[in-house]
Amino acid sequence: QVQLQESGPGLVKPSETLSLTCAVSGYSISSGYYWGWIRQPPEKGLEWIGSIYHSGTTYYNPSLKSRVTISVDTSKNQFSLKLSSVTAADTAVYYCARRPQTSSSWDYWGQGTLVTVSS
Amino acid sequence: QSVLTQPPSVSAAPGQKVTISCSGSSSNIGNNYVSWYQQLPGTAPKLLIYENNKRPSGIPDRFSGSKSGTSATLGISGLQTGDEADYYCGTWDSSLSAVVFGGGTKLTVL
């Protein structure tokens, strides 16, 4: 059974960098698929942040591209998100998820982690 | 403002059928597959429909999807109180080069 688990600080100060990691179990990242980050501000809808292929090729939401870095560590079977210069608008539940290579759907999701941006 | 437009809310009685619409354009729904997600309160989204009308293993056939032109529809028949959730459509937008989602629809089973 494929499982994804987000981890990282739940509180980040304004202007600092948000860093999260998604640990994958039950499937080897090196075997394929796209791995991505999606966030959901409180009481709002879903917003795609970006995706990475196991080879390291990345795709970012144009609206966040200047602040986002997604990387993959196949030796640890995990991938990570860094979002710089955060503001209160970046407060959200952050989900990591898996997308089949030939599909635009996200078939496995982590439980999500709430990140609050506040001083 | 979401790229894909969904009604904010829909409601129906137990046992009835409800449909949720998702409207887009030629750069997204019109030329790409649509997927649907169910988000129960306090939980992560769950894939219900992929590639317009396919159900992942374990999803009951009460859930169905269709697409016509630049719009997609999720159907839920035999409504149960456990179906109360937020539902989101999603697809790829070729103009934006981005994954896009609808704003979500809250389903109430009266």
Side-chain angles (χ1 to χ4, degrees), chain A residues 38 40 44-46 48 60 62 95 102-107 109-110, chain B residues 33 35 37 39 43-45 47 50-51 88 92 96-99 101:
Chain A
I38 295 161
Q40 184 173 34
K44 293 188 178 181
L46 303 170
W48 173 69
Y60 298 137
Y95 297 101
T102 56
S103 173
S104 61
S105 61
W106 301 88
D107 61 357
W109 296 64
Chain B
Y33 285 127
S35 51
Y37 305 86
Q39 186 174 35
T43 69
L47 181 63
Y50 68 100
E51 293 181 4
Y88 293 90
W92 176 257
L96 297 174
S97 293
V99 174
F101 294 98

Side-chain angles (χ1 to χ4, degrees), chain B residues 6 10 17-22 34-38 46-50 52-55 59-60 62-67 71-77 83 86-89 105 107:
Chain B
Q6 297 181 235
V10 295
K17 178 177 180 177
V18 70
T19 59
I20 297 173
S21 61
C22 177
V34 176
S35 51
W36 289 91
Y37 305 86
Q38 176 193 59
K46 174 184 177 182
L47 181 63
L48 282 181
I49 298 290
Y50 68 100
N52 302 334
N53 55 20
K54 298 177 181 178
R55 285 177 287 105
I59 301 300
R62 300 189 298 108
F63 295 91
S64 62
S66 64
K67 189 181 95 168
S71 293
T73 301
L74 172 69
I76 310 173
S77 62
D83 296 330
D86 293 324
Y87 292 83
Y88 293 90
C89 57
T105 298
L107 168 64

Side-chain angles (χ1 to χ4, degrees), chain A residues 17-34:
Chain A
T17 296
L18 178 161
S19 297
L20 296 174
T21 296
C22 181
V24 180
S25 59
Y27 188 84
S28 172
I29 285 181
S30 300
S31 298
Y33 283 84
Y34 287 93

